[in-house]
Amino acid sequence: MGVTSVNQTASIQSAIAFASRRTGVDFNYLLGQAQVESGLRSDAAAPTSSARGLYQFIDQSWLGVIKAHGADYGLGWAAGSIRQTPSGRYVVSDPAVRRQILGLRSDPNVSALMAAEHASDNKDALEASLGRATSGTDLYMAHFLGLGGARRFLTAMDRNPGASAASLFPAAANANRSVFYAEGGQPRSLQQVYDRLGGKLDAGAAAAGGTGSATGTPASDAPDWNAMLGEGGEVVLGSGASADGDATWLHTTLANLNTLRESVNPMRPTPETARLAYLMLASLGA
């Protein structure tokens, strides 16, 4: 991996780390989801749908999450421009503003924050419905099938994990045959589909430099930088929202160093790590 690609990955991971801290959604889950959905590319675009960005939000899902949470991150102008019709569809009257809002999907900071808020909303709804704590795989089921589909899937799996997933979700099975059917066309059970998606999520997190499981309780021996330094300020968004300068940068860079500590060559420091060293020495009076 070259220096340029390492720096690009560092920027993406920093955005995800900040979103994780702001929302409480597990970093490894968010990292694994981004890897599975886009290969950690903020400019990823699906060829057969409107899905775009790091987390492959389709137009309607993106407008919905910006409407619900955008104002919390300096995007009140965007949230206020979105209206929900009686049928539940999200619309923006000004076509130029609509394009601008949808274009925010290519900003990794905004995309990571909205993905984390969306996952947090799904977590609350699933736990209230299922009466238990959710895992990363449960959250990914909500991303994969929608919240209503995830409720149906997880409830059915609790009752009968060996039931055919394709028979209960024929439309999803037709669109995702490699998930719902094994080689030779044998339909997978609900438990097998669940385990397969969980395996993809964990593999994605590991490939992207995750520090633990994306599907269960996170396991990390990384230092608790938040406890050592205190919480950072606001993240700098592509919209020009305000930020707390070096404090935010320091937190995101430290989080990034945790996740890249096994892949970065200490003999070839990046501009980010050089600046971090300077700030840390300055804080010690050196």
Side-chain angles (χ1 to χ4, degrees):
M1 181 182 291
V3 173
T4 299
S5 60
V6 167
N7 288 342
Q8 289 171 343
T9 300
S11 177
I12 296 293
Q13 289 185 328
S14 293
I16 295 172
F18 184 88
S20 172
R21 288 197 302 276
R22 280 297 301 267
T23 63
V25 177
D26 180 46
F27 169 77
N28 292 296
Y29 168 75
L30 292 171
L31 185 65
Q33 184 187 5
Q35 176 66 31
V36 170
E37 292 300 313
S38 68
L40 243 59
R41 289 177 48 233
S42 60
D43 62 349
T48 58
S49 76
S50 64
R52 298 289 186 274
L54 195 61
Y55 288 92
Q56 292 293 280
F57 278 97
I58 62 172
D59 290 356
Q60 280 296 298
S61 295
W62 183 253
L63 293 174
V65 74
I66 289 288
K67 178 67 175 175
H69 298 288
D72 296 333
Y73 299 99
L75 297 172
W77 64 268
S81 300
I82 301 168
R83 177 174 59 86
Q84 190 174 21
T85 68
S87 66
R89 184 172 180 80
Y90 293 98
V91 297
V92 180
S93 58
D94 186 327
V97 173
R98 185 178 190 273
R99 286 193 298 272
Q100 189 176 2
I101 295 171
L102 293 176
L104 291 171
R105 289 176 293 183
S106 64
D107 184 321
N109 292 309
V110 182
S111 187
L113 284 165
M114 293 302 105
E117 289 288 2
H118 188 54
S120 180
D121 289 344
N122 286 338
K123 180 178 186 293
D124 291 343
L126 283 176
E127 289 183 348
S129 176
L130 300 173
R132 62 170 175 79
T134 56
S135 69
T137 311
D138 295 336
L139 294 182
Y140 193 68
M141 294 305 303
H143 171 79
F144 183 65
L145 294 174
L147 182 57
R151 285 195 186 104
R152 287 180 53 222
F153 186 101
L154 296 170
T155 300
M157 189 177 72
D158 285 344
R159 289 197 305 261
N160 184 9
S164 168
S167 65
L168 292 173
F169 296 89
N174 286 334
N176 301 275
R177 294 192 64 83
S178 65
V179 174
F180 284 83
Y181 296 94
E183 290 184 11
Q186 181 68 22
R188 290 191 170 100
S189 68
L190 292 167
Q191 186 68 58
Q192 288 171 330
V193 168
Y194 182 87
D195 291 343
R196 184 174 178 81
L197 291 178
K200 286 180 62 177
L201 196 61
D202 271 335
T211 57
S213 171
T215 56
T217 303
S220 173
D221 57 1
D224 185 353
W225 295 109
N226 285 335
M228 294 170 67
L229 296 173
E231 289 295 335
E234 295 298 318
V235 70
V236 178
L237 301 180
S239 62
S242 63
D244 188 16
D246 282 345
T248 293
W249 176 88
L250 183 59
H251 277 274
T252 55
T253 302
L254 286 169
N256 170 60
L257 287 179
N258 278 340
T259 58
L260 289 182
R261 62 189 184 276
E262 295 181 356
S263 61
V264 173
N265 184 348
M267 301 305 294
R268 297 181 64 185
T270 67
E272 288 80 7
T273 55
R275 186 179 174 207
L276 173 63
Y278 173 82
L279 287 175
M280 293 181 74
L281 287 171
S283 71
L284 295 173

